[in-house]
Amino acid sequence: MTSLKTTRTDFESVWPSLVKDLQEAATKYNVPANALDWFTKSLEANTPGGKLNRGLSVPDTALQILKRPLSPDEVRGLSTLGWLIELLQAFFLVSDDIMDSSVTRRGQPCWYRQPKVGMIAINDAFMLESAIYLILKKHFRRHPAYIDFVELFHEVTWQTELGQLCDLITAPEDDVNLDNFSMDKYTFIVIYKTAYYSFYLPVALALMYMQLATPRNLQQAESILIPMGEYFQIQDDYLDAYGDPAHIGKIGTDIKDNKCGWLVNQALLIASPEQRKLLDENYGQKDDAREAKVKQLYKELELESRYQAYEEKRVSEIRQLIANVDESEGLRKEIFESFLGKIYKRSK
């Protein structure tokens, strides 16, 4: 453990004991061995495999505030809260992949596409969500912020589901209608589907754990982290079309998948009637040649330089917000500088 960053190894070392806690919560009801094995397999397949950035941000936030190595108890407590975000992420991803008919996730077949899983994955997703509250009760029942943790997870889950609903009904893959798209809808989708659980949740949990979650601190954190989360998703949309697949680890599919993304919404704002017609005819089609026509149009509309101008403007605004942070109640500018440092000009 360094003074400013949690190692992935330290964070991962907490996971096996949480799996054990969840197994015990199931065996309490004499669950048959094959069901326990299934649940364990689902936990291991869906939770620890990603980048773990959201989970690691919880102990990292505490380190930025305390400016000293965490005690063993702090490492365990903050990492446990981090793993609960990873369980929430697992719940969302297992569900999302079914809704989107996705094929792969983290380089493997999606959970519902794995042998014998199928639609059992729906129940597995419910169990991943329930696991959050079982762990919270076991480890934080006596923490002063226990009910705040519970309510925060419920609220952020609800916000994410509202964002997902708007995404699903705005851009269904089998019904392409660009009249449904708008920057207002796009902004709503990215703020509620991504920004709250990916950026605000880790910091709010760390503040609550350390009993620094004053209304002022939470409001300041939200006012910076939500625009940062929006910027992160716009960056993701940009990289889907313009990033190097070797860097990103996947080939972008937003155009073929009829995604209500930043690039297509920008194109709709500035396209001529002829260019709009080309978009209507070619966007959201599972066809390489049609995708290439959309990408060529993006080039003509100079969306790459439009994105770069957006990025500089947004990052400048975020830096100004960070500079104005009031640290009198224990909040630290370094928390937000660390988040911004991880995403500014990223290539994957």
mmCIF file of all heavy atoms in Angstrom, residues 28-55:
data_model
loop_
_atom_site.group_PDB
_atom_site.id
_atom_site.type_symbol
_atom_site.label_atom_id
_atom_site.label_comp_id
_atom_site.label_asym_id
_atom_site.label_seq_id
_atom_site.Cartn_x
_atom_site.Cartn_y
_atom_site.Cartn_z
ATOM 1 N N LYS A 28 -27.076 -21.049 5.104
ATOM 2 C CA LYS A 28 -27.966 -20.819 6.245
ATOM 3 C C LYS A 28 -29.364 -21.386 5.961
ATOM 4 O O LYS A 28 -30.109 -21.772 6.858
ATOM 5 C CB LYS A 28 -28.046 -19.300 6.472
ATOM 6 C CG LYS A 28 -28.803 -18.854 7.680
ATOM 7 C CD LYS A 28 -28.601 -17.348 7.840
ATOM 8 C CE LYS A 28 -29.928 -16.655 8.005
ATOM 9 N NZ LYS A 28 -29.800 -15.211 8.052
ATOM 10 N N TYR A 29 -29.736 -21.414 4.679
ATOM 11 C CA TYR A 29 -31.061 -21.926 4.286
ATOM 12 C C TYR A 29 -30.976 -23.338 3.701
ATOM 13 O O TYR A 29 -31.886 -23.764 2.988
ATOM 14 C CB TYR A 29 -31.699 -20.966 3.275
ATOM 15 C CG TYR A 29 -31.863 -19.568 3.822
ATOM 16 C CD1 TYR A 29 -31.110 -18.516 3.313
ATOM 17 C CD2 TYR A 29 -32.743 -19.302 4.871
ATOM 18 C CE1 TYR A 29 -31.231 -17.225 3.826
ATOM 19 C CE2 TYR A 29 -32.869 -18.026 5.392
ATOM 20 C CZ TYR A 29 -32.121 -16.999 4.874
ATOM 21 O OH TYR A 29 -32.241 -15.733 5.384
ATOM 22 N N ASN A 30 -29.860 -24.031 3.989
ATOM 23 C CA ASN A 30 -29.673 -25.409 3.511
ATOM 24 C C ASN A 30 -29.815 -25.531 1.990
ATOM 25 O O ASN A 30 -30.446 -26.463 1.485
ATOM 26 C CB ASN A 30 -30.666 -26.363 4.206
ATOM 27 C CG ASN A 30 -30.472 -26.363 5.712
ATOM 28 O OD1 ASN A 30 -29.339 -26.388 6.199
ATOM 29 N ND2 ASN A 30 -31.568 -26.291 6.455
ATOM 30 N N VAL A 31 -29.229 -24.569 1.291
ATOM 31 C CA VAL A 31 -29.311 -24.598 -0.173
ATOM 32 C C VAL A 31 -28.598 -25.855 -0.694
ATOM 33 O O VAL A 31 -27.540 -26.241 -0.179
ATOM 34 C CB VAL A 31 -28.688 -23.310 -0.768
ATOM 35 C CG1 VAL A 31 -27.185 -23.243 -0.542
ATOM 36 C CG2 VAL A 31 -28.995 -23.167 -2.246
ATOM 37 N N PRO A 32 -29.159 -26.563 -1.671
ATOM 38 C CA PRO A 32 -28.494 -27.754 -2.219
ATOM 39 C C PRO A 32 -27.117 -27.414 -2.797
ATOM 40 O O PRO A 32 -26.898 -26.294 -3.273
ATOM 41 C CB PRO A 32 -29.442 -28.228 -3.323
ATOM 42 C CG PRO A 32 -30.776 -27.663 -2.953
ATOM 43 C CD PRO A 32 -30.497 -26.356 -2.278
ATOM 44 N N ALA A 33 -26.236 -28.384 -2.760
ATOM 45 C CA ALA A 33 -24.836 -28.172 -3.177
ATOM 46 C C ALA A 33 -24.728 -27.666 -4.608
ATOM 47 O O ALA A 33 -23.900 -26.791 -4.909
ATOM 48 C CB ALA A 33 -24.041 -29.465 -3.011
ATOM 49 N N ASN A 34 -25.567 -28.190 -5.511
ATOM 50 C CA ASN A 34 -25.440 -27.768 -6.923
ATOM 51 C C ASN A 34 -25.831 -26.299 -7.104
ATOM 52 O O ASN A 34 -25.251 -25.579 -7.917
ATOM 53 C CB ASN A 34 -26.252 -28.673 -7.849
ATOM 54 C CG ASN A 34 -27.755 -28.624 -7.593
ATOM 55 O OD1 ASN A 34 -28.199 -28.310 -6.482
ATOM 56 N ND2 ASN A 34 -28.542 -28.948 -8.614
ATOM 57 N N ALA A 35 -26.786 -25.807 -6.299
ATOM 58 C CA ALA A 35 -27.184 -24.394 -6.371
ATOM 59 C C ALA A 35 -26.088 -23.500 -5.798
ATOM 60 O O ALA A 35 -25.801 -22.419 -6.332
ATOM 61 C CB ALA A 35 -28.499 -24.170 -5.628
ATOM 62 N N LEU A 36 -25.464 -23.959 -4.701
ATOM 63 C CA LEU A 36 -24.362 -23.191 -4.107
ATOM 64 C C LEU A 36 -23.194 -23.095 -5.084
ATOM 65 O O LEU A 36 -22.582 -22.027 -5.252
ATOM 66 C CB LEU A 36 -23.908 -23.840 -2.794
ATOM 67 C CG LEU A 36 -22.829 -23.079 -2.024
ATOM 68 C CD1 LEU A 36 -23.338 -21.714 -1.565
ATOM 69 C CD2 LEU A 36 -22.350 -23.893 -0.827
ATOM 70 N N ASP A 37 -22.895 -24.203 -5.747
ATOM 71 C CA ASP A 37 -21.812 -24.220 -6.744
ATOM 72 C C ASP A 37 -22.117 -23.242 -7.886
ATOM 73 O O ASP A 37 -21.234 -22.529 -8.359
ATOM 74 C CB ASP A 37 -21.611 -25.630 -7.315
ATOM 75 C CG ASP A 37 -20.985 -26.573 -6.299
ATOM 76 O OD1 ASP A 37 -20.484 -26.082 -5.262
ATOM 77 O OD2 ASP A 37 -21.014 -27.801 -6.534
ATOM 78 N N TRP A 38 -23.371 -23.242 -8.311
ATOM 79 C CA TRP A 38 -23.780 -22.352 -9.411
ATOM 80 C C TRP A 38 -23.594 -20.885 -9.014
ATOM 81 O O TRP A 38 -23.046 -20.082 -9.767
ATOM 82 C CB TRP A 38 -25.244 -22.626 -9.776
ATOM 83 C CG TRP A 38 -25.713 -21.804 -10.950
ATOM 84 C CD1 TRP A 38 -26.042 -20.477 -10.955
ATOM 85 C CD2 TRP A 38 -25.869 -22.266 -12.299
ATOM 86 N NE1 TRP A 38 -26.406 -20.067 -12.221
ATOM 87 C CE2 TRP A 38 -26.312 -21.145 -13.066
ATOM 88 C CE3 TRP A 38 -25.699 -23.490 -12.942
ATOM 89 C CZ2 TRP A 38 -26.578 -21.230 -14.429
ATOM 90 C CZ3 TRP A 38 -25.968 -23.574 -14.309
ATOM 91 C CH2 TRP A 38 -26.399 -22.460 -15.033
ATOM 92 N N PHE A 39 -24.079 -20.544 -7.811
ATOM 93 C CA PHE A 39 -23.985 -19.167 -7.316
ATOM 94 C C PHE A 39 -22.517 -18.729 -7.223
ATOM 95 O O PHE A 39 -22.142 -17.636 -7.643
ATOM 96 C CB PHE A 39 -24.674 -19.065 -5.956
ATOM 97 C CG PHE A 39 -24.586 -17.705 -5.313
ATOM 98 C CD1 PHE A 39 -24.839 -16.540 -6.029
ATOM 99 C CD2 PHE A 39 -24.249 -17.583 -3.966
ATOM 100 C CE1 PHE A 39 -24.765 -15.283 -5.426
ATOM 101 C CE2 PHE A 39 -24.173 -16.333 -3.356
ATOM 102 C CZ PHE A 39 -24.428 -15.180 -4.092
ATOM 103 N N THR A 40 -21.668 -19.635 -6.703
ATOM 104 C CA THR A 40 -20.236 -19.323 -6.570
ATOM 105 C C THR A 40 -19.612 -19.086 -7.944
ATOM 106 O O THR A 40 -18.845 -18.139 -8.153
ATOM 107 C CB THR A 40 -19.501 -20.464 -5.844
ATOM 108 O OG1 THR A 40 -20.132 -20.692 -4.583
ATOM 109 C CG2 THR A 40 -18.037 -20.143 -5.620
ATOM 110 N N LYS A 41 -19.982 -19.937 -8.893
ATOM 111 C CA LYS A 41 -19.448 -19.809 -10.252
ATOM 112 C C LYS A 41 -19.880 -18.472 -10.875
ATOM 113 O O LYS A 41 -19.092 -17.787 -11.537
ATOM 114 C CB LYS A 41 -19.948 -20.986 -11.103
ATOM 115 C CG LYS A 41 -19.246 -21.118 -12.452
ATOM 116 C CD LYS A 41 -19.746 -22.340 -13.203
ATOM 117 C CE LYS A 41 -19.282 -22.305 -14.656
ATOM 118 N NZ LYS A 41 -19.940 -23.286 -15.507
ATOM 119 N N SER A 42 -21.138 -18.095 -10.653
ATOM 120 C CA SER A 42 -21.642 -16.823 -11.176
ATOM 121 C C SER A 42 -20.898 -15.637 -10.554
ATOM 122 O O SER A 42 -20.506 -14.692 -11.249
ATOM 123 C CB SER A 42 -23.145 -16.705 -10.887
ATOM 124 O OG SER A 42 -23.582 -15.382 -11.066
ATOM 125 N N LEU A 43 -20.692 -15.684 -9.231
ATOM 126 C CA LEU A 43 -19.946 -14.623 -8.543
ATOM 127 C C LEU A 43 -18.555 -14.464 -9.147
ATOM 128 O O LEU A 43 -18.115 -13.348 -9.454
ATOM 129 C CB LEU A 43 -19.794 -14.955 -7.049
ATOM 130 C CG LEU A 43 -20.976 -14.703 -6.129
ATOM 131 C CD1 LEU A 43 -20.696 -15.322 -4.752
ATOM 132 C CD2 LEU A 43 -21.251 -13.214 -5.984
ATOM 133 N N GLU A 44 -17.857 -15.579 -9.301
ATOM 134 C CA GLU A 44 -16.464 -15.540 -9.774
ATOM 135 C C GLU A 44 -16.371 -15.163 -11.256
ATOM 136 O O GLU A 44 -15.430 -14.494 -11.675
ATOM 137 C CB GLU A 44 -15.786 -16.897 -9.542
ATOM 138 C CG GLU A 44 -15.641 -17.287 -8.073
ATOM 139 C CD GLU A 44 -14.598 -16.459 -7.309
ATOM 140 O OE1 GLU A 44 -14.075 -15.472 -7.865
ATOM 141 O OE2 GLU A 44 -14.330 -16.801 -6.141
ATOM 142 N N ALA A 45 -17.361 -15.561 -12.045
ATOM 143 C CA ALA A 45 -17.313 -15.264 -13.480
ATOM 144 C C ALA A 45 -17.654 -13.814 -13.779
ATOM 145 O O ALA A 45 -17.147 -13.229 -14.738
ATOM 146 C CB ALA A 45 -18.283 -16.181 -14.233
ATOM 147 N N ASN A 46 -18.500 -13.216 -12.935
ATOM 148 C CA ASN A 46 -19.054 -11.905 -13.283
ATOM 149 C C ASN A 46 -18.512 -10.720 -12.492
ATOM 150 O O ASN A 46 -18.675 -9.582 -12.911
ATOM 151 C CB ASN A 46 -20.583 -11.939 -13.140
ATOM 152 C CG ASN A 46 -21.218 -12.863 -14.151
ATOM 153 O OD1 ASN A 46 -20.986 -12.744 -15.346
ATOM 154 N ND2 ASN A 46 -22.001 -13.832 -13.674
ATOM 155 N N THR A 47 -17.870 -10.972 -11.352
ATOM 156 C CA THR A 47 -17.489 -9.829 -10.506
ATOM 157 C C THR A 47 -16.022 -9.425 -10.616
ATOM 158 O O THR A 47 -15.732 -8.258 -10.876
ATOM 159 C CB THR A 47 -17.874 -10.105 -9.031
ATOM 160 O OG1 THR A 47 -19.188 -10.650 -8.994
ATOM 161 C CG2 THR A 47 -17.836 -8.833 -8.209
ATOM 162 N N PRO A 48 -15.036 -10.339 -10.424
ATOM 163 C CA PRO A 48 -13.645 -9.852 -10.336
ATOM 164 C C PRO A 48 -12.913 -9.637 -11.660
ATOM 165 O O PRO A 48 -11.777 -9.221 -11.647
ATOM 166 C CB PRO A 48 -12.929 -10.942 -9.516
ATOM 167 C CG PRO A 48 -13.850 -12.093 -9.411
ATOM 168 C CD PRO A 48 -15.111 -11.776 -10.141
ATOM 169 N N GLY A 49 -13.530 -9.857 -12.807
ATOM 170 C CA GLY A 49 -12.754 -9.926 -14.050
ATOM 171 C C GLY A 49 -12.382 -8.630 -14.731
ATOM 172 O O GLY A 49 -11.549 -8.617 -15.624
ATOM 173 N N GLY A 50 -12.972 -7.510 -14.350
ATOM 174 C CA GLY A 50 -12.747 -6.268 -15.106
ATOM 175 C C GLY A 50 -11.559 -5.456 -14.627
ATOM 176 O O GLY A 50 -10.656 -5.960 -13.965
ATOM 177 N N LYS A 51 -11.584 -4.166 -14.937
ATOM 178 C CA LYS A 51 -10.468 -3.284 -14.547
ATOM 179 C C LYS A 51 -10.502 -2.952 -13.060
ATOM 180 O O LYS A 51 -9.504 -2.516 -12.496
ATOM 181 C CB LYS A 51 -10.542 -1.972 -15.353
ATOM 182 C CG LYS A 51 -10.362 -2.159 -16.857
ATOM 183 C CD LYS A 51 -10.375 -0.782 -17.554
ATOM 184 C CE LYS A 51 -10.523 -0.933 -19.053
ATOM 185 N NZ LYS A 51 -11.672 -0.202 -19.599
ATOM 186 N N LEU A 52 -11.689 -3.071 -12.437
ATOM 187 C CA LEU A 52 -11.886 -2.805 -10.989
ATOM 188 C C LEU A 52 -11.683 -1.333 -10.627
ATOM 189 O O LEU A 52 -11.507 -0.998 -9.452
ATOM 190 C CB LEU A 52 -10.966 -3.692 -10.122
ATOM 191 C CG LEU A 52 -11.027 -5.207 -10.367
ATOM 192 C CD1 LEU A 52 -10.063 -5.941 -9.430
ATOM 193 C CD2 LEU A 52 -12.442 -5.739 -10.181
ATOM 194 N N ASN A 53 -11.735 -0.445 -11.629
ATOM 195 C CA ASN A 53 -11.495 0.979 -11.351
ATOM 196 C C ASN A 53 -12.491 1.562 -10.362
ATOM 197 O O ASN A 53 -12.129 2.358 -9.494
ATOM 198 C CB ASN A 53 -11.566 1.801 -12.653
ATOM 199 C CG ASN A 53 -10.325 1.631 -13.507
ATOM 200 O OD1 ASN A 53 -9.277 1.226 -12.999
ATOM 201 N ND2 ASN A 53 -10.420 1.909 -14.781
ATOM 202 N N ARG A 54 -13.764 1.170 -10.499
ATOM 203 C CA ARG A 54 -14.779 1.729 -9.610
ATOM 204 C C ARG A 54 -14.519 1.299 -8.174
ATOM 205 O O ARG A 54 -14.551 2.104 -7.249
ATOM 206 C CB ARG A 54 -16.174 1.286 -10.060
ATOM 207 C CG ARG A 54 -16.592 1.870 -11.390
ATOM 208 C CD ARG A 54 -17.845 1.180 -11.945
ATOM 209 N NE ARG A 54 -18.226 1.734 -13.250
ATOM 210 C CZ ARG A 54 -17.680 1.350 -14.405
ATOM 211 N NH1 ARG A 54 -16.744 0.418 -14.411
ATOM 212 N NH2 ARG A 54 -18.076 1.885 -15.540
ATOM 213 N N GLY A 55 -14.260 0.010 -7.984
ATOM 214 C CA GLY A 55 -14.012 -0.499 -6.640
ATOM 215 C C GLY A 55 -12.758 0.085 -6.010
ATOM 216 O O GLY A 55 -12.769 0.503 -4.844
#
